[in-house]
């Protein structure tokens, strides 16, 4: 079973930089930070015997940033996003994840494709687990549900 890992970095050059913790950065600096996170995710995936591809709507721009700022180890994939996502809506970037999940479900990105956040660190290969492999082979969807971390029970 060949597992294909994908991360997402959608670039909206019209957006303004968002404060991140105590760091008020330019949009480009935030893109570089995201690329460095993705590079660490790719490195940890590789050490676990996995391969990560970073999907973006701005591959040439990200390649140029990687080159200028010595960010290595990221395999970039260009994707044309087609959903009309209104600017400034809550969780705007999540809509692009949903569109990428739709592309993954088509099978065009591999028979066994997995979308991971680009701040993930792999300490081992989770797909070596026989139970998980059987569920995937049987056509089940595997997810990491964080609902309880976001919503308090009533």
């Amino acid at each position: 079973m060949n597992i294909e890992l994908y991360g997402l970095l959608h670039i909206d050059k019209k957006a303004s930089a968002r404060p991140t913790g105590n760091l008020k950065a330019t949009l480009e600096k935030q893109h570089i930070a995201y690329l460095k996170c993705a590079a660490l995710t790719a490195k940890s995936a590789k050490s676990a015997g996995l391969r990560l591809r970073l999907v973006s709507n701005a591959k040439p721009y990200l390649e140029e940033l990687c080159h200028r700022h010595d960010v290595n180890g990221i395999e970039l994939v260009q994707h044309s996003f087609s959903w009309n996502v209104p600017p400034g809506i809550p969780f705007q970037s999540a809509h692009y994840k949903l569109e990428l999940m739709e592309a993954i479900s088509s099978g065009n990105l591999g028979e066994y494709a997995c979308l991971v956040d680009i701040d993930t660190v792999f300490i081992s290969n989770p797909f070596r687990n026989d139970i998980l492999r059987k569920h995937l082979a049987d056509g089940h969807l595997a997810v990491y549900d964080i609902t309880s971390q976001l919503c308090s029970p009533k």
Side-chain angles (χ1 to χ4, degrees), residues 100-117:
L100 182 55
M101 289 172 73
E102 182 179 69
I104 287 171
S105 71
S106 74
N108 293 334
L109 298 176
E111 185 177 5
Y112 299 103
C114 180
L115 178 59
V116 298
D117 287 336

Side-chain angles (χ1 to χ4, degrees), residues 8-13 54-62 76-81 96:
L8 172 63
L9 181 49
H10 185 274
I11 301 296
D12 181 358
K13 291 190 177 180
L54 183 61
V55 177
S56 180
N57 63 317
K59 180 181 175 183
Y61 167 71
L62 295 179
L76 291 163
V77 175
Q78 179 69 31
H79 183 77
S80 297
F81 291 86
Y96 298 109

Side-chain angles (χ1 to χ4, degrees), residues 56-94:
S56 180
N57 63 317
K59 180 181 175 183
Y61 167 71
L62 295 179
E63 286 175 329
E64 188 264 329
L65 282 182
C66 286
H67 177 73
R68 255 192 313 133
H69 297 278
D70 199 28
V71 178
N72 301 303
I74 301 174
E75 183 180 344
L76 291 163
V77 175
Q78 179 69 31
H79 183 77
S80 297
F81 291 86
S82 61
W83 288 11
N84 182 19
V85 179
I89 65 170
F91 304 103
Q92 182 181 4
S93 61

Side-chain angles (χ1 to χ4, degrees), residues 8-29:
L8 172 63
L9 181 49
H10 185 274
I11 301 296
D12 181 358
K13 291 190 177 180
K14 295 177 187 172
S16 55
R18 285 182 241 126
T20 308
N22 293 333
L23 172 69
K24 186 170 184 175
T26 66
L27 198 55
E28 183 176 290
K29 285 182 181 177

